[in-house]
Amino acid sequence: LHRLENLVLKNNPELKGTIPKSIGKLRILGQLGLYNNALTGTIPYGLFDATRLNYINLENNKISGRLALRVMNLKRLHRLILSNNMMTGSVSMPHLAGTQLKYLALSNNKFSGTISKAIADLSNLEYLYLDGNDFSGGLPGSTGELTQLKSINLDSNSFVGKLPKSLANLQKLEFLSMQDNNLSGEIPVEMSGMSKLETMNIAMNSLGGSLPDLSNFSKLRNLHLYENSLIGTIPDSVAGLKNIEVLFLSSNQLTGAIPSAIGTLDRTLRGLYLSDNKLDGNITQALCELDELESLFLDENKFYGELPDCL
């Protein structure tokens, strides 16, 4: 099979065994897709001898072991997808920097350790998925140098510390999710300039401070900041969320009244979640203008007065 350029064996739930060491002898192999099977064992070192590989997808198997440092041999590699396996150990960003990675997906494994500042050397990276692992430590400021990044998911790890201000440099970013970590500090005001964001999910952390200026988030569809320690009021700049579909701010320490500016979101807002805060005052009549609203949660606050006519 010395002429083989593409090898795809996907969606075979009864396909078991290990990845053959001899696969590295397929010298012109460009694409390797062995996903959605029941493969076990480790990724053989020999695989990294197939130096023309630009695409590796081994997700949804039962592969274990570490990601070998020899991955740096794959100078043409654009996509590396190892999600939903049982892999362990740290991930060497300096060695991954030897590739041309645009898409790195390591979700739902048992990878651990910290993310080094060398992540900035993955300068072509557009999609980064590290969710569902055991990564720890702080987010390096050098993450903000990944200026081609469009999507990043760091959910369900053990990251700590503050959100780097440099995240604001990711002007192409459309999806940002860091739910269920131990992040603290305030949401950097600089992030208010991330005008291409469509999803921001930093729920289930320990963030404090007030909500940032929302006026520039005109493309944002989902804002999830629930289960933090945010204080202050919901700003009138909420009117800038012209495409918002879900606004989820429950389980914080927000105070004051629901701003009447919420009524300007009448064409898009479908879910408004403000439960378990310290909001007070009359429930604004502006809620009656939200024609697309499907879910409204205002429980466990300090509202008083009469309900709006539409409720």
Side-chain angles (χ1 to χ4, degrees):
L1 299 176
H2 62 282
R3 294 183 181 273
L4 197 66
E5 296 182 13
N6 302 292
L7 174 57
V8 177
L9 289 169
K10 63 179 180 177
N11 302 333
N12 292 281
E14 298 300 319
L15 184 62
K16 302 177 181 180
T18 60
I19 301 172
K21 297 179 181 178
S22 57
I23 206 164
K25 296 180 180 180
L26 303 175
R27 299 298 185 183
I28 65 171
L29 189 67
Q31 297 191 54
L32 177 63
L34 302 178
Y35 50 98
N36 299 338
N37 297 303
L39 299 174
T40 57
T42 61
I43 300 175
Y45 285 161
L47 183 147
F48 302 106
D49 291 330
T51 55
R52 293 196 182 185
L53 277 169
N54 60 73
Y55 169 89
I56 298 175
N57 189 343
L58 306 178
E59 71 176 334
N60 294 325
N61 282 285
K62 299 177 181 179
I63 296 170
S64 57
R66 295 171 173 263
L67 178 59
L69 301 182
R70 292 185 67 187
V71 69
M72 67 184 298
N73 292 349
L74 305 181
K75 306 296 186 184
R76 304 184 184 188
L77 191 63
H78 287 173
R79 286 176 171 253
L80 178 60
I81 306 172
L82 303 176
S83 301
N84 302 318
N85 280 288
M86 302 168 63
M87 299 188 69
T88 57
S90 59
V91 176
S92 174
M93 294 302 170
H95 289 83
L96 285 175
T99 68
Q100 298 294 317
L101 277 176
K102 293 184 177 181
Y103 193 112
L104 177 60
L106 306 179
S107 307
N108 300 317
N109 280 281
K110 298 179 181 179
F111 289 115
S112 58
T114 59
I115 305 300
S116 76
K117 63 181 181 180
I119 194 173
D121 295 331
L122 301 178
S123 57
N124 296 311
L125 203 61
E126 297 178 5
Y127 301 90
L128 176 61
Y129 301 114
L130 303 180
D131 49 300
N133 283 287
D134 295 318
F135 291 114
S136 58
L139 301 179
S142 59
T143 306
E145 297 178 33
L146 299 173
T147 54
Q148 301 303 310
L149 208 60
K150 297 178 181 178
S151 181
I152 180 171
N153 191 336
L154 305 180
D155 290 355
S156 301
N157 281 285
S158 298
F159 290 114
V160 298
K162 297 181 179 180
L163 293 170
K165 295 180 180 180
S166 60
L167 290 177
N169 297 332
L170 306 179
Q171 288 298 309
K172 294 184 179 181
L173 200 66
E174 299 172 1
F175 182 93
L176 169 66
S177 194
M178 300 180 179
Q179 176 179 311
D180 189 21
N181 282 284
N182 296 307
L183 299 170
S184 58
E186 300 184 6
I187 300 174
V189 294
E190 291 84 356
M191 290 181 67
S192 297
M194 301 175 74
S195 59
K196 290 193 175 181
L197 269 182
E198 297 182 9
T199 292
M200 181 192 291
N201 182 357
I202 322 178
M204 301 173 65
N205 281 284
S206 299
L207 298 175
S210 57
L211 289 168
D213 181 7
L214 302 174
S215 58
N216 291 327
F217 291 123
S218 60
K219 293 187 177 181
L220 201 64
R221 297 182 181 275
N222 299 284
L223 178 58
H224 292 209
L225 298 175
Y226 59 89
E227 293 189 32
N228 280 288
S229 298
L230 298 172
I231 60 174
T233 61
I234 300 173
D236 287 333
S237 61
V238 70
L241 303 176
K242 300 183 183 302
N243 285 293
I244 196 71
E245 296 178 6
V246 176
L247 181 58
F248 207 152
L249 303 177
S250 296
S251 299
N252 281 285
Q253 299 180 43
L254 298 172
T255 55
I258 301 173
S260 58
I262 204 84
T264 63
L265 309 180
D266 56 309
R267 295 184 180 181
T268 60
L269 190 61
R270 295 180 179 175
L272 178 60
Y273 302 87
L274 302 177
S275 304
D276 188 23
N277 279 285
K278 297 179 180 180
L279 299 170
D280 58 22
N282 290 298
I283 298 177
T284 176
Q285 194 75 23
L287 293 178
C288 297
E289 300 173 20
L290 300 175
D291 295 334
E292 301 298 319
L293 199 64
E294 298 172 0
S295 297
L296 175 62
F297 286 79
L298 304 177
D299 51 300
E300 298 188 51
N301 281 287
K302 299 180 179 180
F303 295 118
Y304 53 79
E306 299 182 0
L307 291 171
D309 297 340
C310 58
L311 296 180

